[in-house]
Amino acid sequence: MNATKVMSPKMSGPAPAARRFSLGGLFRAREAGIVLALVALVAFTATQNARFLSAQSIRDILLGTAILAVLAVGQATVMITRNIDLSVGSVLGLSAFAVGSLLQDNQGMPVIVALVAGLAVGAACGLVNGVLVRFGQVPALVVTLGTLYAFRGAAYFWAGGEQINADELPGHFLRFGNSSILGIPWLVLIAVIVLVVAGVVLRNYRAGRELYAMGSSPQAAELAGIKVGRNTIAAFLVSGALAGVAGVLFAARFGTIDAAAGNGYELNVVAAAVVGGVAVFGGSGTVWGAGLGALLLTVIGSSLAVLDINQFWQQAIVGALILLAIGADRLVAVRVAKSLKKRDSHV
């Protein structure tokens, strides 16, 4: 009996380690693959049109990526818990219009206050999603599909068919959308800060590890004492808050805001997260991968425009990338499961 007690920990140790290594290796390879695809795509497009690598072109790509990346970080946080948030585009639009209306009436409002206001609007929407998923016991896909239309409807009702033009917004707010610090656009800097903070929390803090545990197995997480319901609400709260911040960035960059702002963003956001290695089945992936996925999708859109290729092909390519990413996730899951079975059979 003593021998059994001594040997058991040694026997049971390798399996979890092997799983972490296999999944970690997959997502590192996925992220490396995205970087290689980006390099190849940029190089090919530049050979066809040298202006693609101009300073203004690169700046436009980074600004477009910044907004999508902020949304993708929130989406990745929710997807890691084995949920999904389809309402982010509508939350962006509602937040953008709310902040635009606020700035119309308060021309001297500081940018930081506008960012906080947008964050608050988005957080309120995220809280609604989280509470409905948690206490309604309804799949997140259904809940957020419903709130997608509800939030968009609220924005249309508020706008009343009108739009906010750039000349109605404060000059300092519009300058914020295009100005830089040390050569780095403010929007890009904010996106990087969001990525770093989310990446550190998810990797190094208990709150982040609990989200991964929930995504791997909600039942096991519950038995382990993890507050699954509370964390679910928190994940949707983060997603909504970041969508609210993205709404402010959208308003600052484009200036003209109407109720349709952010329409269709939700699909690109989900695509960025999935292509970046965040598993739709939960429990794995990183916000860094989601950020790279956002960059890849933005570069694809810009490349197709430069190459004068029909916009339809962008949608087709994004769809193919999503299917490829899901296929890769399932393939590695099957291989890891087989590996663990073999190890168990040898024990």
Side-chain angles (χ1 to χ4, degrees), residues 80-284:
I80 285 170
T81 66
R82 201 180 287 192
N83 289 296
I84 195 167
D85 186 356
L86 296 180
S87 69
V88 289
S90 297
V91 175
L92 180 153
L94 183 60
S95 171
F97 197 86
V99 170
S101 300
L102 198 60
L103 287 166
Q104 269 186 316
D105 301 329
N106 301 273
Q107 293 286 320
M109 177 182 291
V111 172
I112 186 65
V113 176
L115 285 168
V116 171
L119 184 149
V121 172
C125 295
L127 182 62
V128 170
N129 284 333
V131 168
L132 289 175
V133 171
R134 167 67 179 90
F135 295 104
Q137 298 296 312
V138 179
L141 178 69
V142 177
V143 168
T144 57
L145 182 61
T147 55
L148 178 156
Y149 291 108
F151 297 150
R152 182 67 67 187
Y156 275 108
F157 178 78
W158 189 349
E162 299 181 356
Q163 68 176 23
I164 300 171
N165 297 313
D167 59 2
E168 300 174 79
L169 296 175
H172 69 276
F173 181 73
L174 297 176
R175 287 192 295 274
F176 163 74
N178 293 284
S179 61
S180 305
I181 178 172
L182 300 177
I184 303 174
W186 276 106
L187 270 63
V188 175
L189 184 60
I190 290 173
V192 170
I193 292 173
V194 168
L195 275 166
V196 171
V197 171
V200 169
V201 170
L202 287 174
R203 179 180 176 84
N204 299 325
Y205 287 84
R206 178 178 177 178
R209 294 194 296 269
E210 287 184 351
L211 297 184
Y212 281 104
M214 288 166 52
S216 297
S217 176
Q219 294 80 10
E222 193 84 55
L223 291 174
I226 294 174
K227 304 295 184 181
V228 173
R230 183 190 65 189
N231 288 348
T232 297
I233 294 175
F236 278 102
L237 188 67
V238 169
S239 180
L242 291 180
V245 171
V248 180
L249 302 185
F250 181 96
R253 185 189 176 202
F254 296 108
T256 301
I257 315 162
D258 59 20
N263 193 23
Y265 264 56
E266 52 279 341
L267 297 182
N268 282 337
V269 174
V270 172
V274 172
V275 169
V278 182
V280 293
F281 307 103
S284 59

Side-chain angles (χ1 to χ4, degrees), residues 3-4 6-16 343-344 346-347:
T4 302
V6 172
M7 292 176 66
S8 294
K10 294 182 180 179
M11 291 178 178
S12 59
R343 288 179 180 274
D344 291 340
H346 291 310
V347 173

